[in-house]
PDB file of all heavy atoms in Angstrom:
ATOM      1  N   PHE A 761     -31.300  -8.250 -29.131  1.00 80.00           N
ATOM      2  CA  PHE A 761     -29.914  -8.760 -29.117  1.00 80.00           C
ATOM      3  C   PHE A 761     -28.875  -7.785 -29.684  1.00 80.00           C
ATOM      4  O   PHE A 761     -27.795  -7.631 -29.108  1.00 80.00           O
ATOM      5  CB  PHE A 761     -29.827 -10.116 -29.831  1.00 80.00           C
ATOM      6  CG  PHE A 761     -28.433 -10.682 -29.823  1.00 80.00           C
ATOM      7  CD1 PHE A 761     -27.880 -11.174 -28.643  1.00 80.00           C
ATOM      8  CD2 PHE A 761     -27.652 -10.671 -30.970  1.00 80.00           C
ATOM      9  CE1 PHE A 761     -26.577 -11.666 -28.612  1.00 80.00           C
ATOM     10  CE2 PHE A 761     -26.346 -11.155 -30.955  1.00 80.00           C
ATOM     11  CZ  PHE A 761     -25.817 -11.661 -29.773  1.00 80.00           C
ATOM     12  N   PHE A 764     -26.750  -5.566 -27.416  1.00 79.00           N
ATOM     13  CA  PHE A 764     -25.554  -6.120 -26.752  1.00 79.00           C
ATOM     14  C   PHE A 764     -24.444  -6.364 -27.766  1.00 79.00           C
ATOM     15  O   PHE A 764     -23.265  -6.196 -27.470  1.00 79.00           O
ATOM     16  CB  PHE A 764     -25.920  -7.403 -26.005  1.00 79.00           C
ATOM     17  CG  PHE A 764     -26.901  -7.150 -24.901  1.00 79.00           C
ATOM     18  CD1 PHE A 764     -28.259  -7.409 -25.070  1.00 79.00           C
ATOM     19  CD2 PHE A 764     -26.478  -6.577 -23.704  1.00 79.00           C
ATOM     20  CE1 PHE A 764     -29.168  -7.124 -24.060  1.00 79.00           C
ATOM     21  CE2 PHE A 764     -27.382  -6.296 -22.679  1.00 79.00           C
ATOM     22  CZ  PHE A 764     -28.729  -6.563 -22.855  1.00 79.00           C
ATOM     23  N   ALA A 765     -24.849  -6.734 -28.998  1.00 77.00           N
ATOM     24  CA  ALA A 765     -23.840  -7.017 -30.036  1.00 77.00           C
ATOM     25  C   ALA A 765     -23.049  -5.761 -30.394  1.00 77.00           C
ATOM     26  O   ALA A 765     -21.879  -5.839 -30.756  1.00 77.00           O
ATOM     27  CB  ALA A 765     -24.522  -7.597 -31.271  1.00 77.00           C
ATOM     28  N   LEU A 768     -19.536  -3.356 -28.095  1.00 80.00           N
ATOM     29  CA  LEU A 768     -18.088  -3.171 -28.290  1.00 80.00           C
ATOM     30  C   LEU A 768     -17.825  -1.856 -29.029  1.00 80.00           C
ATOM     31  O   LEU A 768     -16.939  -1.089 -28.653  1.00 80.00           O
ATOM     32  CB  LEU A 768     -17.484  -4.362 -29.061  1.00 80.00           C
ATOM     33  CG  LEU A 768     -15.966  -4.490 -28.935  1.00 80.00           C
ATOM     34  CD1 LEU A 768     -15.550  -4.829 -27.508  1.00 80.00           C
ATOM     35  CD2 LEU A 768     -15.406  -5.537 -29.868  1.00 80.00           C
ATOM     36  N   ASN A 926      -9.926  -5.499 -37.818  1.00 73.00           N
ATOM     37  CA  ASN A 926      -9.277  -6.264 -36.752  1.00 73.00           C
ATOM     38  C   ASN A 926      -8.483  -5.380 -35.802  1.00 73.00           C
ATOM     39  O   ASN A 926      -8.471  -5.611 -34.593  1.00 73.00           O
ATOM     40  CB  ASN A 926      -8.394  -7.365 -37.330  1.00 73.00           C
ATOM     41  CG  ASN A 926      -9.184  -8.658 -37.484  1.00 73.00           C
ATOM     42  OD1 ASN A 926      -9.676  -9.203 -36.511  1.00 73.00           O
ATOM     43  ND2 ASN A 926      -9.344  -9.113 -38.713  1.00 73.00           N
ATOM     44  N   GLY A 929     -10.923  -3.875 -33.574  1.00 78.00           N
ATOM     45  CA  GLY A 929     -11.348  -4.912 -32.620  1.00 78.00           C
ATOM     46  C   GLY A 929     -10.317  -5.097 -31.515  1.00 78.00           C
ATOM     47  O   GLY A 929     -10.652  -5.160 -30.328  1.00 78.00           O
ATOM     48  N   VAL A 930      -9.031  -5.153 -31.916  1.00 82.00           N
ATOM     49  CA  VAL A 930      -7.935  -5.320 -30.949  1.00 82.00           C
ATOM     50  C   VAL A 930      -7.934  -4.137 -29.975  1.00 82.00           C
ATOM     51  O   VAL A 930      -7.863  -4.302 -28.757  1.00 82.00           O
ATOM     52  CB  VAL A 930      -6.570  -5.414 -31.677  1.00 82.00           C
ATOM     53  CG1 VAL A 930      -5.414  -5.228 -30.704  1.00 82.00           C
ATOM     54  CG2 VAL A 930      -6.446  -6.760 -32.389  1.00 82.00           C
ATOM     55  N   ALA A 932     -10.384  -2.092 -29.206  1.00 83.00           N
ATOM     56  CA  ALA A 932     -11.572  -2.081 -28.345  1.00 83.00           C
ATOM     57  C   ALA A 932     -11.462  -3.150 -27.257  1.00 83.00           C
ATOM     58  O   ALA A 932     -11.762  -2.900 -26.091  1.00 83.00           O
ATOM     59  CB  ALA A 932     -12.823  -2.320 -29.190  1.00 83.00           C
ATOM     60  N   PHE A 933     -10.994  -4.342 -27.634  1.00 88.00           N
ATOM     61  CA  PHE A 933     -10.905  -5.451 -26.680  1.00 88.00           C
ATOM     62  C   PHE A 933      -9.883  -5.135 -25.579  1.00 88.00           C
ATOM     63  O   PHE A 933     -10.156  -5.286 -24.390  1.00 88.00           O
ATOM     64  CB  PHE A 933     -10.506  -6.738 -27.418  1.00 88.00           C
ATOM     65  CG  PHE A 933     -10.371  -7.931 -26.508  1.00 88.00           C
ATOM     66  CD1 PHE A 933     -11.492  -8.625 -26.076  1.00 88.00           C
ATOM     67  CD2 PHE A 933      -9.121  -8.372 -26.091  1.00 88.00           C
ATOM     68  CE1 PHE A 933     -11.372  -9.724 -25.230  1.00 88.00           C
ATOM     69  CE2 PHE A 933      -8.993  -9.470 -25.248  1.00 88.00           C
ATOM     70  CZ  PHE A 933     -10.121 -10.153 -24.818  1.00 88.00           C
ATOM     71  N   CYS A 981     -18.169  -4.843 -18.548  1.00 93.00           N
ATOM     72  CA  CYS A 981     -16.981  -4.873 -19.425  1.00 93.00           C
ATOM     73  C   CYS A 981     -16.673  -6.305 -19.851  1.00 93.00           C
ATOM     74  O   CYS A 981     -16.304  -6.566 -20.996  1.00 93.00           O
ATOM     75  CB  CYS A 981     -15.767  -4.276 -18.719  1.00 93.00           C
ATOM     76  SG  CYS A 981     -15.860  -2.489 -18.575  1.00 93.00           S
ATOM     77  N   PHE A 982     -16.852  -7.246 -18.924  1.00 94.00           N
ATOM     78  CA  PHE A 982     -16.579  -8.659 -19.224  1.00 94.00           C
ATOM     79  C   PHE A 982     -17.528  -9.155 -20.324  1.00 94.00           C
ATOM     80  O   PHE A 982     -17.105  -9.786 -21.293  1.00 94.00           O
ATOM     81  CB  PHE A 982     -16.741  -9.499 -17.953  1.00 94.00           C
ATOM     82  CG  PHE A 982     -16.459 -10.965 -18.164  1.00 94.00           C
ATOM     83  CD1 PHE A 982     -15.157 -11.406 -18.340  1.00 94.00           C
ATOM     84  CD2 PHE A 982     -17.491 -11.894 -18.213  1.00 94.00           C
ATOM     85  CE1 PHE A 982     -14.884 -12.758 -18.548  1.00 94.00           C
ATOM     86  CE2 PHE A 982     -17.239 -13.238 -18.430  1.00 94.00           C
ATOM     87  CZ  PHE A 982     -15.924 -13.676 -18.597  1.00 94.00           C
ATOM     88  N   ILE A 983     -18.826  -8.822 -20.199  1.00 89.00           N
ATOM     89  CA  ILE A 983     -19.817  -9.233 -21.218  1.00 89.00           C
ATOM     90  C   ILE A 983     -19.427  -8.653 -22.582  1.00 89.00           C
ATOM     91  O   ILE A 983     -19.470  -9.341 -23.611  1.00 89.00           O
ATOM     92  CB  ILE A 983     -21.239  -8.770 -20.820  1.00 89.00           C
ATOM     93  CG1 ILE A 983     -21.695  -9.504 -19.553  1.00 89.00           C
ATOM     94  CG2 ILE A 983     -22.238  -9.007 -21.955  1.00 89.00           C
ATOM     95  CD1 ILE A 983     -22.939  -8.918 -18.889  1.00 89.00           C
ATOM     96  N   THR A 984     -19.022  -7.374 -22.580  1.00 88.00           N
ATOM     97  CA  THR A 984     -18.619  -6.712 -23.828  1.00 88.00           C
ATOM     98  C   THR A 984     -17.428  -7.428 -24.469  1.00 88.00           C
ATOM     99  O   THR A 984     -17.399  -7.658 -25.677  1.00 88.00           O
ATOM    100  CB  THR A 984     -18.240  -5.244 -23.546  1.00 88.00           C
ATOM    101  OG1 THR A 984     -19.339  -4.623 -22.901  1.00 88.00           O
ATOM    102  CG2 THR A 984     -17.946  -4.502 -24.823  1.00 88.00           C
ATOM    103  N   ALA A 985     -16.435  -7.775 -23.642  1.00 89.00           N
ATOM    104  CA  ALA A 985     -15.225  -8.435 -24.159  1.00 89.00           C
ATOM    105  C   ALA A 985     -15.583  -9.779 -24.801  1.00 89.00           C
ATOM    106  O   ALA A 985     -15.108 -10.113 -25.894  1.00 89.00           O
ATOM    107  CB  ALA A 985     -14.213  -8.638 -23.035  1.00 89.00           C
ATOM    108  N   ILE A 986     -16.463 -10.540 -24.137  1.00 88.00           N
ATOM    109  CA  ILE A 986     -16.834 -11.864 -24.651  1.00 88.00           C
ATOM    110  C   ILE A 986     -17.618 -11.743 -25.961  1.00 88.00           C
ATOM    111  O   ILE A 986     -17.519 -12.585 -26.847  1.00 88.00           O
ATOM    112  CB  ILE A 986     -17.659 -12.645 -23.586  1.00 88.00           C
ATOM    113  CG1 ILE A 986     -16.802 -12.895 -22.345  1.00 88.00           C
ATOM    114  CG2 ILE A 986     -18.183 -13.966 -24.144  1.00 88.00           C
ATOM    115  CD1 ILE A 986     -15.528 -13.661 -22.581  1.00 88.00           C
ATOM    116  N   SER A 987     -18.400 -10.638 -26.102  1.00 83.00           N
ATOM    117  CA  SER A 987     -19.231 -10.473 -27.309  1.00 83.00           C
ATOM    118  C   SER A 987     -18.374 -10.488 -28.580  1.00 83.00           C
ATOM    119  O   SER A 987     -18.848 -10.849 -29.654  1.00 83.00           O
ATOM    120  CB  SER A 987     -20.027  -9.167 -27.237  1.00 83.00           C
ATOM    121  OG  SER A 987     -19.171  -8.059 -27.477  1.00 83.00           O
ATOM    122  N   MET A 988     -17.096 -10.107 -28.445  1.00 81.00           N
ATOM    123  CA  MET A 988     -16.215 -10.056 -29.610  1.00 81.00           C
ATOM    124  C   MET A 988     -16.015 -11.448 -30.220  1.00 81.00           C
ATOM    125  O   MET A 988     -15.851 -11.584 -31.429  1.00 81.00           O
ATOM    126  CB  MET A 988     -14.869  -9.460 -29.202  1.00 81.00           C
ATOM    127  CG  MET A 988     -13.948  -9.157 -30.352  1.00 81.00           C
ATOM    128  SD  MET A 988     -12.488  -8.289 -29.725  1.00 81.00           S
ATOM    129  CE  MET A 988     -11.399  -8.450 -31.122  1.00 81.00           C
ATOM    130  N   ALA A 989     -16.056 -12.474 -29.368  1.00 84.00           N
ATOM    131  CA  ALA A 989     -15.826 -13.846 -29.843  1.00 84.00           C
ATOM    132  C   ALA A 989     -16.956 -14.303 -30.764  1.00 84.00           C
ATOM    133  O   ALA A 989     -16.780 -15.229 -31.553  1.00 84.00           O
ATOM    134  CB  ALA A 989     -15.694 -14.786 -28.661  1.00 84.00           C
ATOM    135  N   PHE A 990     -18.144 -13.639 -30.670  1.00 82.00           N
ATOM    136  CA  PHE A 990     -19.295 -14.081 -31.463  1.00 82.00           C
ATOM    137  C   PHE A 990     -19.402 -13.364 -32.804  1.00 82.00           C
ATOM    138  O   PHE A 990     -20.323 -13.607 -33.566  1.00 82.00           O
ATOM    139  CB  PHE A 990     -20.591 -13.907 -30.659  1.00 82.00           C
ATOM    140  CG  PHE A 990     -20.625 -14.771 -29.432  1.00 82.00           C
ATOM    141  CD1 PHE A 990     -20.325 -14.242 -28.183  1.00 82.00           C
ATOM    142  CD2 PHE A 990     -20.902 -16.130 -29.523  1.00 82.00           C
ATOM    143  CE1 PHE A 990     -20.323 -15.039 -27.051  1.00 82.00           C
ATOM    144  CE2 PHE A 990     -20.907 -16.947 -28.402  1.00 82.00           C
ATOM    145  CZ  PHE A 990     -20.618 -16.400 -27.156  1.00 82.00           C
ATOM    146  N   ASP A 991     -18.456 -12.439 -33.071  1.00 77.00           N
ATOM    147  CA  ASP A 991     -18.448 -11.751 -34.362  1.00 77.00           C
ATOM    148  C   ASP A 991     -17.376 -12.399 -35.226  1.00 77.00           C
ATOM    149  O   ASP A 991     -16.184 -12.262 -34.953  1.00 77.00           O
ATOM    150  CB  ASP A 991     -18.137 -10.266 -34.145  1.00 77.00           C
ATOM    151  CG  ASP A 991     -18.166  -9.464 -35.451  1.00 77.00           C
ATOM    152  OD1 ASP A 991     -18.044 -10.089 -36.526  1.00 77.00           O
ATOM    153  OD2 ASP A 991     -18.305  -8.229 -35.390  1.00 77.00           O
ATOM    154  N   PRO A 992     -17.795 -13.140 -36.294  1.00 80.00           N
ATOM    155  CA  PRO A 992     -16.810 -13.891 -37.091  1.00 80.00           C
ATOM    156  C   PRO A 992     -15.692 -13.003 -37.637  1.00 80.00           C
ATOM    157  O   PRO A 992     -14.542 -13.427 -37.707  1.00 80.00           O
ATOM    158  CB  PRO A 992     -17.634 -14.486 -38.235  1.00 80.00           C
ATOM    159  CG  PRO A 992     -19.062 -14.185 -37.953  1.00 80.00           C
ATOM    160  CD  PRO A 992     -19.169 -13.276 -36.773  1.00 80.00           C
ATOM    161  N   GLU A 993     -16.022 -11.732 -37.970  1.00 75.00           N
ATOM    162  CA  GLU A 993     -14.993 -10.839 -38.520  1.00 75.00           C
ATOM    163  C   GLU A 993     -13.961 -10.438 -37.475  1.00 75.00           C
ATOM    164  O   GLU A 993     -12.839 -10.088 -37.792  1.00 75.00           O
ATOM    165  CB  GLU A 993     -15.643  -9.568 -39.081  1.00 75.00           C
ATOM    166  CG  GLU A 993     -16.363  -9.782 -40.395  1.00 75.00           C
ATOM    167  CD  GLU A 993     -16.914  -8.463 -40.936  1.00 75.00           C
ATOM    168  OE1 GLU A 993     -17.608  -7.765 -40.181  1.00 75.00           O
ATOM    169  OE2 GLU A 993     -16.621  -8.138 -42.087  1.00 75.00           O
ATOM    170  N   MET A 994     -14.381 -10.455 -36.202  1.00 78.00           N
ATOM    171  CA  MET A 994     -13.494  -9.996 -35.122  1.00 78.00           C
ATOM    172  C   MET A 994     -12.726 -11.150 -34.472  1.00 78.00           C
ATOM    173  O   MET A 994     -11.839 -10.924 -33.667  1.00 78.00           O
ATOM    174  CB  MET A 994     -14.310  -9.295 -34.035  1.00 78.00           C
ATOM    175  CG  MET A 994     -14.975  -8.034 -34.493  1.00 78.00           C
ATOM    176  SD  MET A 994     -14.303  -6.636 -33.604  1.00 78.00           S
ATOM    177  CE  MET A 994     -15.432  -5.361 -34.042  1.00 78.00           C
ATOM    178  N   LEU A 995     -13.113 -12.390 -34.819  1.00 83.00           N
ATOM    179  CA  LEU A 995     -12.521 -13.545 -34.133  1.00 83.00           C
ATOM    180  C   LEU A 995     -10.993 -13.590 -34.204  1.00 83.00           C
ATOM    181  O   LEU A 995     -10.328 -13.823 -33.184  1.00 83.00           O
ATOM    182  CB  LEU A 995     -13.143 -14.846 -34.674  1.00 83.00           C
ATOM    183  CG  LEU A 995     -12.948 -16.076 -33.782  1.00 83.00           C
ATOM    184  CD1 LEU A 995     -13.515 -15.832 -32.390  1.00 83.00           C
ATOM    185  CD2 LEU A 995     -13.600 -17.299 -34.402  1.00 83.00           C
ATOM    186  N   PRO A 996     -10.369 -13.349 -35.392  1.00 83.00           N
ATOM    187  CA  PRO A 996      -8.891 -13.381 -35.434  1.00 83.00           C
ATOM    188  C   PRO A 996      -8.271 -12.382 -34.459  1.00 83.00           C
ATOM    189  O   PRO A 996      -7.298 -12.707 -33.762  1.00 83.00           O
ATOM    190  CB  PRO A 996      -8.557 -12.980 -36.881  1.00 83.00           C
ATOM    191  CG  PRO A 996      -9.808 -13.223 -37.669  1.00 83.00           C
ATOM    192  CD  PRO A 996     -10.947 -13.074 -36.720  1.00 83.00           C
ATOM    193  N   GLY A 997      -8.856 -11.176 -34.363  1.00 83.00           N
ATOM    194  CA  GLY A 997      -8.350 -10.169 -33.427  1.00 83.00           C
ATOM    195  C   GLY A 997      -8.499 -10.628 -31.986  1.00 83.00           C
ATOM    196  O   GLY A 997      -7.605 -10.434 -31.152  1.00 83.00           O
ATOM    197  N   PHE A 998      -9.642 -11.278 -31.687  1.00 88.00           N
ATOM    198  CA  PHE A 998      -9.927 -11.773 -30.338  1.00 88.00           C
ATOM    199  C   PHE A 998      -8.873 -12.800 -29.921  1.00 88.00           C
ATOM    200  O   PHE A 998      -8.285 -12.723 -28.841  1.00 88.00           O
ATOM    201  CB  PHE A 998     -11.331 -12.392 -30.324  1.00 88.00           C
ATOM    202  CG  PHE A 998     -11.751 -12.954 -28.989  1.00 88.00           C
ATOM    203  CD1 PHE A 998     -12.088 -12.105 -27.940  1.00 88.00           C
ATOM    204  CD2 PHE A 998     -11.839 -14.327 -28.792  1.00 88.00           C
ATOM    205  CE1 PHE A 998     -12.491 -12.623 -26.712  1.00 88.00           C
ATOM    206  CE2 PHE A 998     -12.243 -14.847 -27.569  1.00 88.00           C
ATOM    207  CZ  PHE A 998     -12.564 -13.997 -26.527  1.00 88.00           C
ATOM    208  N   ILE A 999      -8.614 -13.768 -30.827  1.00 90.00           N
ATOM    209  CA  ILE A 999      -7.623 -14.819 -30.534  1.00 90.00           C
ATOM    210  C   ILE A 999      -6.227 -14.194 -30.382  1.00 90.00           C
ATOM    211  O   ILE A 999      -5.468 -14.528 -29.470  1.00 90.00           O
ATOM    212  CB  ILE A 999      -7.640 -15.911 -31.641  1.00 90.00           C
ATOM    213  CG1 ILE A 999      -8.992 -16.642 -31.605  1.00 90.00           C
ATOM    214  CG2 ILE A 999      -6.491 -16.897 -31.458  1.00 90.00           C
ATOM    215  CD1 ILE A 999      -9.300 -17.479 -32.820  1.00 90.00           C
ATOM    216  N   GLY A1000      -5.922 -13.224 -31.288  1.00 88.00           N
ATOM    217  CA  GLY A1000      -4.632 -12.532 -31.219  1.00 88.00           C
ATOM    218  C   GLY A1000      -4.430 -11.854 -29.867  1.00 88.00           C
ATOM    219  O   GLY A1000      -3.347 -11.918 -29.273  1.00 88.00           O
ATOM    220  N   CYS A1001      -5.502 -11.207 -29.361  1.00 91.00           N
ATOM    221  CA  CYS A1001      -5.415 -10.523 -28.059  1.00 91.00           C
ATOM    222  C   CYS A1001      -5.145 -11.510 -26.928  1.00 91.00           C
ATOM    223  O   CYS A1001      -4.330 -11.244 -26.042  1.00 91.00           O
ATOM    224  CB  CYS A1001      -6.715  -9.779 -27.762  1.00 91.00           C
ATOM    225  SG  CYS A1001      -6.912  -8.301 -28.748  1.00 91.00           S
ATOM    226  N   LEU A1002      -5.852 -12.652 -26.959  1.00 94.00           N
ATOM    227  CA  LEU A1002      -5.640 -13.651 -25.898  1.00 94.00           C
ATOM    228  C   LEU A1002      -4.204 -14.155 -25.918  1.00 94.00           C
ATOM    229  O   LEU A1002      -3.572 -14.338 -24.869  1.00 94.00           O
ATOM    230  CB  LEU A1002      -6.628 -14.819 -26.054  1.00 94.00           C
ATOM    231  CG  LEU A1002      -8.112 -14.476 -25.856  1.00 94.00           C
ATOM    232  CD1 LEU A1002      -8.978 -15.721 -25.999  1.00 94.00           C
ATOM    233  CD2 LEU A1002      -8.358 -13.842 -24.472  1.00 94.00           C
TER     234      LEU A1002
END
Side-chain angles (χ1 to χ4, degrees):
F761 181 72
F764 297 100
L768 198 66
N926 269 299
V930 165
F933 179 80
C981 287
F982 181 73
I983 294 167
T984 305
I986 297 302
S987 75
M988 189 174 165
F990 296 100
D991 182 340
E993 286 183 308
M994 295 244 191
L995 198 57
F998 180 73
I999 294 165
C1001 287
L1002 295 182

